[in-house]
Amino acid sequence: MLFHIDDLPVYFPYDRIYPEQYAYMCSLKQTLDAQGHGVLEMPSGTGKTVSLLSLIVSYQQHYPEKRKLIYCSRTVPEIEKALAELKRLVEYRKSCGLNETILGLGLTSRRNLCLHPSVSKEKKGKVVDARCHNLTAPWVREAAQAGQDIETCSFYEELERGDVRELVPDAIYTLDDIKELGKAKKTCPYYMARRLLSHANVIIYSYHYMLDPKIADLISKELSKDSIVVFDEAHNIDNVCIDSLSLDIMRPTLEASSKSIAQLSERIETMKQQGSEKLKNEYEKLVQGLQDTLAARDEESIMANPALPDDLLHEAVPGNIRKAEHFVAFLKRFNEYLKTRLRVLNVTAETPSSFLRHLKEITFIERKPLQFCAERLSLLTRTLELNNLDDLASLQRVAALATLVATYDKGFMLVLEPYESENATVPNPILRFACLDASIAIKPVFERFSSVIITSGTLSPLDMYPKILDFKATVQESYPMTLTRNCFLPMVITRGSDQVAISSKFEVRNDPAVVRNFGNILIEFGKIVPDGIVAFFPSYLYMESIIAMWHEMGILTEAWKTKLIFVETPDSAETSIALDNYRRACENGRGAILLAVARGKVSEGIDFDHHYGRAVVMFGIPYQYTESRILKARLEFLRDEHRVRENDFLTFDALRHAAQCLGRVLRGKTDYGLMVFADRRYARQDKRSKLPKWINQYITDTSVNLSTDMGIAIAKKFLRSMAQPLETQAQLGVSLWTLDDVLARQKAQKEKLERVGGVHQQLQQQYGAVEAQRMMQARASGDVYMEVD
Amino acid sequence: MAATMTMNTSLLDDDVCPVCQTDRYLNPQMKLKVGPCFHKMCENCIERLFAHGPAPCPTCRQTLRKATFSEQTFEDLSVEKEVRIRKQMSSRFNKRREDFKTLKDYNDYLETVEDLTFKLVNEIDVETTKQAIDRFAAENRELIKINADRLLNESRMATHRQEMLRKERQQQREAYLKELEAEQLAKSEDRKSLIQELATSDKSAKTILAARQAISLKKTSMRKTEVKPITASSVGSTSMFSDSYRWMQQNEDLDRRQQEEEEDQANDNFDPVQSLYMDVELGVGYVNSVNNNKAHAGGLVYPLLTSSIGVKDLYVEPLGVGNLSQVAKAGGYRNAFGYERAIEDAHTALYLPGL
């Protein structure tokens, strides 16, 4: 359908639209017009992606600036879903008679896109990258062109021959499409996609291409400033930011990097003996401070600087690491120093500056050359024309640590943990360089792009994200869900049928009474819920101990009578088999129970729509392991820097994961399901207020403090009413709008606006245009905040 | 952190003393040490071989003493050796970026130093290298001394800063805990009074609860707006200052100077706090001084840039010092307070970028 938001014609590829989709688009447009950042929370399964794409594509095509859309998502399946949605949208726009050229494509790793007969068989992403590099590195290609018998990649050569723009007609390419195109034209799809990024109107790829400085520098550097950046499913974005600047170093890493250092110096020796000019050239250029010219062709480089672009030093490499052999000795010293640090058998936590001081005391390594470490290493590997870069991975890590530790001081912490777990007796030391401040990695994105939109199904409380990511949101909004029938029922079970309070609190979590009551919930719901039930636990450890106790108590055999039981494990292959069988069991017979873990693979990105999940049970509150040193340091940092209290953050984090788990059950308005919060602490206001608005809205006072038997009674009634057939007609006008509804709504809105407009004119007469504008904006934003509250 | 750094060699399981062939399995307490010739030996062997004064190393026949053995820091002995050489080198080659006109000169200098070190480590042209090093040391004796002093000062300052930071954080934490505690207390108090009211008042329970709710909501929003800045800035800054004050008091030799200064006051002599920087010809650098005569006027500090002129010549009397002194006295300044600030500023001035 086609409708207008203000003056913007929006093409929406379906005949009906949900009211929240319309509202979402309006806020989006507001954000884009203001060229600001936005935080938008929209119920899961209400077509967030399609409304986002259709509005932004319409926006892009309507205005002459043609702002590029960069859509970042979390996993490959999600990227594919978004691409498919985009493709449908563009086809719809064409069928409406629009004559426009839109180039949209997705980017993923070489492993998913490679066509080379042997390289594509490799399973590990790193190996594919390294082998690809071996075939496409400039010196390899030069040697091959000079007639030497060296293998190159025919697909890449083909790409080099022609112009990418001519090869690829404007259209939308899903990941499969681009691969097909590559096959047809016999060119490399990965590099094709990468080179097209600067021409594309819509780019869909993973967060990492935007946030991880190592990759972002290679891939996203040339994207224009007025691009619209969207982070979808962004509830975990702070963790992604932190991970992209954190590093772990272990003993084997150091050993491997020692080996690599030895290899490097050998290679330097042989090169010198062969009288190669290359080292000398490199040196000369460094003396003149021209390392930038050396790094000119950066498409091939797969070793990038781990620091953020703003923090890179644009000056000559310090004199003491200019010569290759000096640099290798330098690396060796640093590496040996790290080894001595790993020998320490007590836990230490220190700031980067104290680390640097000690380093200087012991090894006389200064900060400056350390900062250049990663860059110098990538230069050296290029000069030495090294292949098999995956062998150098450990050394790269060490160099990355060197650069990061010397570049950043505030918001970082070095923690050395000698033992893997608390009761381990064999030391397995690990040095963690932990980023504590999520805003550091994302800062360049906010600074560079005028509009960044963060959206997900679970972002509550909304003001937390601007705080921890340190940005100002022009629009932040959470949408309630409009429903014709209450198709999901959240309930808080606080005690068992025997009135014993249930909780996953540390003191009582292994109490047999609590465990039995948890078990009873499972058994009872197994009896009344048709098809699939998914049950989430706070951690693997707790799940294991509970399952063992259930086994002893005979609870598993009892549950077995009604449903099959499957378990998620840390191993992803095992889990996917379990999931597959769970789905099969849901399609046949009496259904199944899946025991999973919050923060695990199942809780993120796997949907349990319709009969795959009729009930989700969250046993306990999924708090993080609070004794972890890094978490403690992060909490302290948040408290000192962002004024976020420890408890607030922990609860926020636990509840966003709980909401994420429970949100899995509902994928659309025709779906229905139960959401069971099984912990007495959920009844408290401070916990409930941190749940997304659309869930909170349906938690009634009668369903917040239930015992198991009461919960069962309510659930029975709910399921019985939900099993009745649902007429689409009934939804129309309430939770589903046709074009007429949209127009009616707009008319009403307009009338309201006219009333407000009168006020505006008055103000204008009194205070002049600019001031009036400002005042109106203040009013409008005031309205927005009122609604959020 | 150097203090917490404890070397535990027990992780190196394949240790064998090359002299007596004892290994870790036979003697779990065995400690290997390294001599100046970079050959390992266990402590027992060292005791035994060097009990009667200097003796030759069993491996390389170089004459050694017991005192020259030290614990091994690095697994790789070549690095151990390199670091020792670097230690010697760094005591001489301590020029800084500020000592050079351009960055390129500095980098060239760094490279020559690295070249010399590299030669020493790999034992290439040891004699000529050593000569070159000695020549350099002789040429730059004064600068080396100045830079060494600077370094000392800087490291002292860094330690002090670290300490201050630590204390500040601790204070912040304490303040936070106190705040939490107070909140808890208020809450329980509130509860008590609520129950009291419910028990005694003749209003309906509903109205009482509603009134309470309104009050508590107000309180939380007040807390949100109010508490924030208090913990943020004021606590931090006062603690910074008082901490630095304490540090000054602890810092003995500075303190002594300060006392001398107070005694010298009557003489009206020029007596800078850091005599180190006085009367030295500096290419580019800072001279920090406190003019004793006027210092009690409020602790004024003039970081001066000298070329070959004495500090005294450059001293310019600030305007209105006399008035200032009145004001300062009225403000209750003690002299000592002024000096402390002076010293503090003198130290921070070291952190200005090169001129």
Side-chain angles (χ1 to χ4, degrees):
Chain A
M1 75 168 95
L2 163 68
F3 55 90
H4 285 72
I5 296 179
D6 302 336
D7 57 332
L8 173 73
V10 179
Y11 290 84
F12 190 73
Y14 299 96
D15 291 339
R16 312 266 162 80
I17 186 170
Y18 291 145
E20 46 274 57
Q21 282 180 317
Y22 177 74
Y24 185 79
M25 286 189 199
C26 291
S27 312
L28 252 177
K29 181 168 180 298
Q30 236 177 4
T31 321
L32 298 183
D33 283 340
Q35 304 235 337
H37 310 313
V39 180
L40 301 170
E41 181 183 65
M42 173 136 153
S44 57
T46 49
K48 195 168 38 212
T49 312
V50 69
S51 21
L52 227 153
L53 289 174
S54 61
L55 183 100
I56 299 182
V57 171
S58 303
Y59 193 91
Q60 173 186 63
Q61 294 301 326
H62 184 255
Y63 292 108
E65 298 96 3
K66 302 245 173 206
R67 291 165 74 181
K68 185 182 286 223
L69 166 63
I70 306 166
Y71 178 97
C72 308
S73 197
R74 211 172 29 178
T75 57
V76 177
E78 274 163 1
I79 291 169
E80 297 210 58
K81 249 196 274 177
L83 279 167
E85 204 73 74
L86 178 68
K87 201 170 176 181
R88 186 161 347 141
L89 172 71
V90 171
E91 269 161 23
Y92 174 76
R93 290 175 71 92
K94 279 227 174 85
S95 74
C96 288
L98 284 173
N99 187 20
E100 55 196 9
T101 51
I102 302 179
L103 177 62
L105 53 96
L107 180 67
T108 173
S109 65
R110 288 185 178 85
R111 190 177 66 120
N112 296 333
L113 289 178
C114 185
L115 290 177
H116 189 274
S118 73
V119 177
S120 59
K121 297 276 181 326
E122 294 287 353
K123 294 228 160 52
K124 274 190 184 161
K126 280 235 153 147
V127 182
V128 177
D129 287 355
R131 286 198 58 190
C132 178
H133 182 256
N134 287 353
L135 297 174
T136 57
W139 56 86
V140 173
R141 296 186 52 241
E142 263 167 39
Q145 271 161 16
Q148 286 181 39
D149 186 26
I150 293 177
E151 201 195 347
T152 55
C153 176
S154 66
F155 295 97
Y156 186 78
E157 294 303 316
E158 184 63 36
L159 182 70
E160 282 289 292
R161 233 163 276 153
D163 180 25
V164 199
R165 291 295 285 150
E166 283 167 20
L167 270 175
V168 186
D170 283 335
I172 304 299
Y173 297 95
T174 62
L175 298 179
D176 286 335
D177 289 345
I178 196 116
K179 223 172 155 178
E180 284 302 315
L181 186 76
K183 260 185 204 157
K185 307 242 173 182
K186 297 214 172 352
T187 49
C188 175
Y190 174 76
Y191 280 106
M192 203 151 71
R194 247 177 81 172
R195 288 182 190 182
L196 280 172
L197 287 187
S198 50
H199 305 286
N201 303 94
V202 183
I203 303 169
I204 300 185
Y205 57 30
S206 148
Y207 287 172
H208 300 278
Y209 291 110
M210 195 51 111
L211 292 177
D212 191 337
K214 292 188 277 299
I215 319 173
D217 192 39
L218 294 181
I219 298 204
S220 310
K221 198 160 60 179
E222 275 154 27
L223 302 176
S224 66
K225 283 197 170 47
D226 64 346
S227 305
I228 301 162
V229 180
V230 177
F231 291 102
D232 198 0
E233 302 293 334
H235 48 271
N236 261 342
I237 197 165
D238 54 324
N239 292 331
V240 177
C241 292
I242 280 178
D243 286 345
S244 70
L245 285 176
S246 297
L247 263 179
D248 287 355
I249 300 263
M250 290 171 77
R251 188 82 201 168
T253 325
L254 294 178
E255 243 121 60
S257 72
S258 279
K259 242 184 243 166
S260 307
I261 292 170
Q263 273 174 10
L264 282 183
S265 64
E266 247 171 60
R267 175 91 186 159
I268 291 172
E269 271 312 302
T270 47
M271 251 195 161
K272 268 190 176 165
Q273 272 162 15
Q274 287 165 358
S276 169
E277 290 290 301
K278 282 175 182 136
L279 276 174
K280 217 175 265 170
N281 274 343
E282 180 201 64
Y283 170 74
E284 304 270 284
K285 284 212 172 128
L286 286 182
V287 169
Q288 291 158 17
L290 291 174
Q291 68 258 38
D292 289 350
T293 54
L294 285 169
R297 285 184 62 105
D298 55 5
E299 188 179 71
E300 280 72 25
S301 133
I302 52 174
M303 268 192 189
N305 205 314
L308 296 165
D310 293 351
D311 305 317
L312 291 185
L313 291 175
H314 295 287
E315 58 174 70
V317 168
N320 44 4
I321 55 169
R322 276 202 299 226
K323 281 192 181 162
E325 58 268 30
H326 291 172
F327 178 61
V328 170
F330 175 86
L331 278 177
K332 192 173 169 189
R333 246 184 309 150
F334 184 65
N335 200 44
E336 286 297 317
Y337 173 76
L338 290 180
K339 276 189 192 168
T340 64
R341 291 306 301 265
L342 282 195
R343 261 187 284 152
V344 177
L345 282 186
N346 43 355
V347 179
T348 50
E350 60 183 339
T351 57
S353 63
S354 98
F355 177 86
L356 287 178
R357 276 187 72 202
H358 188 239
L359 175 69
K360 197 179 162 194
E361 237 167 70
I362 301 266
T363 59
F364 302 94
I365 289 178
E366 301 263 351
R367 188 195 186 110
K368 215 31 169 317
L370 213 55
Q371 229 166 329
F372 281 93
C373 211
E375 200 183 339
R376 183 72 186 90
L377 180 65
S378 79
L379 269 181
L380 185 64
T381 50
R382 206 187 307 249
T383 316
L384 295 180
E385 304 187 344
L386 282 181
N387 285 340
N388 297 325
L389 285 180
D390 55 331
D391 295 347
L392 285 181
S394 305
L395 182 58
Q396 273 179 59
R397 266 181 110 75
V398 172
L401 173 72
T403 303
L404 287 174
V405 85
T407 311
Y408 297 106
D409 186 24
K410 211 169 181 206
F412 286 81
M413 186 79 137
L414 282 137
V415 177
L416 180 93
E417 287 175 335
Y419 297 100
E420 224 161 358
S421 62
E422 260 168 51
N423 32 23
T425 48
V426 183
N428 182 19
I430 175 162
L431 180 69
R432 297 174 193 274
F433 178 72
C435 173
L436 307 175
D437 188 357
S439 66
I440 294 174
I442 205 169
K443 198 168 154 232
V445 178
F446 281 124
E447 274 174 4
R448 213 174 116 207
F449 299 107
S450 50
S451 294
V452 178
I453 288 146
I454 288 179
T455 180
S456 169
T458 44
L459 286 176
S460 290
L462 289 180
D463 53 348
M464 192 62 116
Y465 284 87
K467 248 191 222 166
I468 57 179
L469 298 179
D470 197 19
F471 70 99
K472 281 207 179 65
T474 27
V475 175
Q476 48 179 350
E477 194 130 18
S478 175
Y479 303 92
M481 201 164 178
T482 51
L483 294 172
T484 335
R485 49 173 197 173
N486 290 350
C487 67
F488 67 96
L489 176 70
M491 58 167 104
V492 181
I493 295 185
T494 54
R495 55 217 142 89
S497 303
D498 53 2
Q499 306 303 319
V500 174
I502 50 173
S503 171
S504 68
K505 220 158 129 183
F506 186 75
E507 296 84 11
V508 298
R509 54 162 49 181
N510 286 322
D511 187 340
V514 171
V515 176
R516 196 183 52 245
N517 274 323
F518 276 153
N520 277 336
I521 293 175
L522 198 70
I523 294 172
E524 293 303 323
F525 276 92
K527 282 181 190 159
I528 61 157
V529 175
D531 303 320
I533 298 178
V534 192
F536 287 99
F537 294 86
S539 70
Y540 282 112
L541 224 66
Y542 186 47
M543 179 167 82
E544 274 164 28
S545 80
I546 273 205
I547 289 178
M549 282 170 92
W550 280 353
H551 179 68
E552 279 167 23
M553 292 172 177
I555 285 170
L556 287 185
T557 33
E558 191 63 29
W560 202 267
K561 284 180 188 162
T562 50
K563 306 258 180 216
L564 293 177
I565 299 177
F566 297 94
V567 183
E568 182 192 6
T569 62
D571 183 274
S572 69
E574 235 171 20
T575 303
S576 60
I577 293 174
L579 252 172
D580 216 38
N581 285 324
Y582 168 79
R583 290 231 161 91
R584 288 228 314 261
C586 287
E587 272 152 20
N588 305 298
R590 284 179 297 192
I593 295 172
L594 180 67
L595 303 177
V597 168
R599 298 165 204 279
K601 186 179 168 240
V602 170
S603 73
E604 296 274 340
I606 289 174
D607 295 345
F608 296 101
D609 48 345
H610 298 283
H611 61 287
Y612 293 128
R614 284 303 181 205
V616 206
V617 187
M618 181 77 232
F619 290 120
I621 299 181
Y623 278 115
Q624 287 187 63
Y625 173 62
T626 44
E627 291 304 302
S628 141
R629 267 158 221 289
I630 290 177
L631 179 63
K632 274 187 181 164
R634 187 169 174 212
L635 288 175
E636 197 158 302
F637 178 84
L638 283 172
R639 197 186 65 217
D640 292 348
E641 294 298 317
H642 297 313
R643 311 276 130 217
V644 178
R645 292 194 166 197
E646 284 168 25
N647 271 335
D648 280 350
F649 182 77
L650 284 174
T651 317
F652 150 76
D653 182 67
L655 284 170
R656 70 174 164 184
H657 280 103
Q660 194 59 29
C661 292
L662 293 165
R664 300 286 103 203
V665 74
L666 202 71
R667 297 326 254 174
K669 291 186 177 178
T670 50
D671 198 0
Y672 67 90
L674 281 163
M675 296 179 177
V676 182
F677 297 84
D679 195 304
R680 60 183 288 240
R681 290 171 290 175
Y682 283 116
R684 297 232 299 259
Q685 187 55 39
D686 66 320
K687 306 284 184 299
R688 260 165 60 202
S689 65
K690 289 194 172 69
L691 284 172
K693 195 175 180 182
W694 60 277
I695 294 185
N696 221 341
Q697 166 191 22
Y698 289 101
I699 301 184
T700 52
D701 281 343
T702 48
S703 63
V704 284
N705 192 7
L706 302 172
S707 64
T708 309
D709 47 345
M710 288 154 77
I712 292 292
I714 295 176
K716 259 187 190 161
K717 211 170 119 201
F718 169 77
L719 288 169
R720 211 172 286 144
S721 69
M722 279 300 123
Q724 307 309 315
L726 172 71
E727 299 284 330
T728 330
Q729 286 305 319
Q731 294 184 52
L732 281 179
V734 185
S735 61
L736 199 60
W737 284 356
T738 57
L739 187 56
D740 295 339
D741 292 315
V742 176
L743 293 176
R745 162 80 185 206
Q746 279 177 341
K747 206 174 152 202
Q749 196 82 31
K750 213 178 195 172
E751 277 164 15
K752 194 179 150 201
L753 261 178
E754 264 158 22
R755 262 181 281 133
V756 183
V759 180
H760 186 200
Q761 265 177 1
Q762 257 180 1
L763 287 174
Q764 217 162 2
Q765 280 163 7
Q766 278 177 18
Y767 301 99
V770 181
E771 183 68 0
Q773 190 74 28
R774 197 189 57 74
M775 285 167 95
M776 287 312 283
Q777 267 167 10
R779 263 172 192 243
S781 60
D783 279 350
V784 170
Y785 286 116
M786 295 264 271
E787 272 170 43
V788 172
D789 282 339
Chain B
M1 244 169 264
T4 53
M5 182 101 176
T6 51
M7 288 302 151
N8 192 320
T9 35
S10 69
L11 274 174
L12 309 165
D13 285 330
D14 48 351
D15 280 351
V16 177
C17 169
V19 182
C20 61
Q21 307 296 329
T22 313
D23 62 11
R24 182 82 58 214
Y25 181 73
L26 288 172
N27 179 10
Q29 267 89 50
M30 182 177 76
K31 248 189 191 165
L32 287 177
K33 288 191 162 186
V34 193
C37 59
F38 298 99
H39 290 115
K40 283 193 238 179
M41 224 176 285
C42 73
E43 256 183 338
N44 290 343
C45 288
I46 296 172
E47 282 296 329
R48 185 167 47 80
L49 289 172
F50 305 105
H52 307 293
C57 164
T59 329
C60 66
R61 300 273 139 221
Q62 194 181 328
T63 311
L64 305 172
R65 290 162 195 280
K66 193 163 126 190
T68 52
F69 279 84
S70 61
E71 248 175 80
Q72 184 183 350
T73 325
F74 296 97
E75 265 167 60
D76 194 331
L77 280 178
S78 65
V79 174
E80 184 87 34
K81 182 180 167 191
E82 190 182 334
V83 165
R84 279 194 207 173
I85 290 170
R86 273 179 197 280
K87 192 169 190 174
Q88 291 163 6
M89 293 290 283
S90 76
S91 66
R92 290 176 203 167
F93 293 91
N94 58 5
K95 281 201 193 179
R96 298 161 164 246
R97 169 71 187 88
E98 302 95 270
D99 301 332
F100 296 91
K101 281 208 186 75
T102 64
L103 183 65
K104 193 167 177 307
D105 289 346
Y106 179 54
N107 278 332
D108 289 342
Y109 158 78
L110 281 179
E111 193 184 323
T112 25
V113 176
E114 197 65 26
D115 264 332
L116 292 174
T117 318
F118 199 72
K119 276 183 187 160
L120 277 187
V121 172
N122 293 314
E123 288 166 8
I124 309 164
D125 304 332
V126 178
E127 276 316 304
T128 47
T129 315
K130 276 195 175 154
Q131 278 169 16
I133 293 170
D134 289 340
R135 209 178 318 127
F136 175 86
E139 278 168 15
N140 297 290
R141 184 171 296 143
E142 280 170 9
L143 194 57
I144 288 172
K145 192 172 174 315
I146 294 164
N147 277 336
D149 287 336
R150 273 196 206 163
L151 202 70
L152 193 75
N153 254 323
E154 269 175 13
S155 79
R156 204 193 272 157
M157 193 61 202
T159 324
H160 164 58
R161 280 195 174 184
Q162 217 167 14
E163 185 67 10
M164 244 162 49
L165 220 69
R166 200 181 57 74
K167 277 190 184 151
E168 195 189 334
R169 286 182 65 176
Q170 201 178 342
Q171 234 162 19
Q172 254 177 19
R173 192 174 311 141
E174 273 163 17
Y176 170 69
L177 286 178
K178 235 179 238 166
E179 196 184 301
L180 274 191
E181 211 172 287
E183 228 165 77
Q184 206 72 38
L185 201 74
K187 224 181 206 172
S188 66
E189 205 89 322
D190 230 29
R191 239 188 129 67
K192 252 188 227 162
S193 71
L194 171 66
I195 289 172
Q196 186 75 21
E197 199 177 342
L198 280 175
T200 54
S201 165
D202 41 356
K203 280 182 217 154
S204 81
K206 229 179 205 167
T207 48
I208 294 174
L209 280 176
R212 285 275 160 176
Q213 191 91 40
I215 293 171
S216 75
L217 267 177
K218 227 179 242 171
K219 267 186 189 163
T220 46
S221 62
M222 282 244 291
R223 195 194 73 208
K224 269 179 193 163
T225 48
E226 242 174 45
V227 169
K228 280 173 197 171
I230 294 175
T231 43
S233 56
S234 59
V235 172
S237 63
T238 51
S239 74
M240 277 285 262
F241 198 80
S242 60
D243 269 342
S244 67
Y245 178 75
R246 233 170 287 141
W247 176 69
M248 289 304 168
Q249 298 223 312
Q250 283 157 6
N251 200 324
E252 285 181 5
D253 75 343
L254 281 177
D255 211 19
R256 211 180 312 121
R257 271 204 199 106
Q258 207 173 304
Q259 280 172 2
E260 285 166 13
E261 216 170 80
E262 264 165 353
E263 286 161 15
D264 284 347
Q265 244 179 47
N267 301 342
D268 256 8
N269 275 339
F270 179 76
D271 182 21
V273 185
Q274 297 284 348
S275 56
L276 295 173
Y277 294 131
M278 209 183 65
D279 289 333
V280 185
E281 278 192 27
L282 290 171
V284 188
Y286 316 105
V287 171
N288 309 299
S289 65
V290 176
N291 185 295
N292 194 35
N293 194 14
K294 308 285 185 241
H296 55 85
L300 298 162
V301 181
Y302 310 98
L304 298 176
L305 210 148
T306 58
S307 45
S308 56
I309 322 163
V311 178
K312 225 172 178 176
D313 305 332
L314 259 181
Y315 178 71
V316 187
E317 190 170 333
L319 291 166
V321 165
N323 296 337
L324 207 85
S325 134
Q326 292 292 327
V327 175
K329 273 176 187 159
Y333 262 108
R334 281 194 302 106
N335 288 348
F337 188 73
Y339 300 144
E340 277 141 26
R341 272 187 61 179
I343 294 163
E344 170 96 352
D345 284 8
H347 279 287
T348 32
L350 280 175
Y351 284 84
L352 286 173
L355 289 165

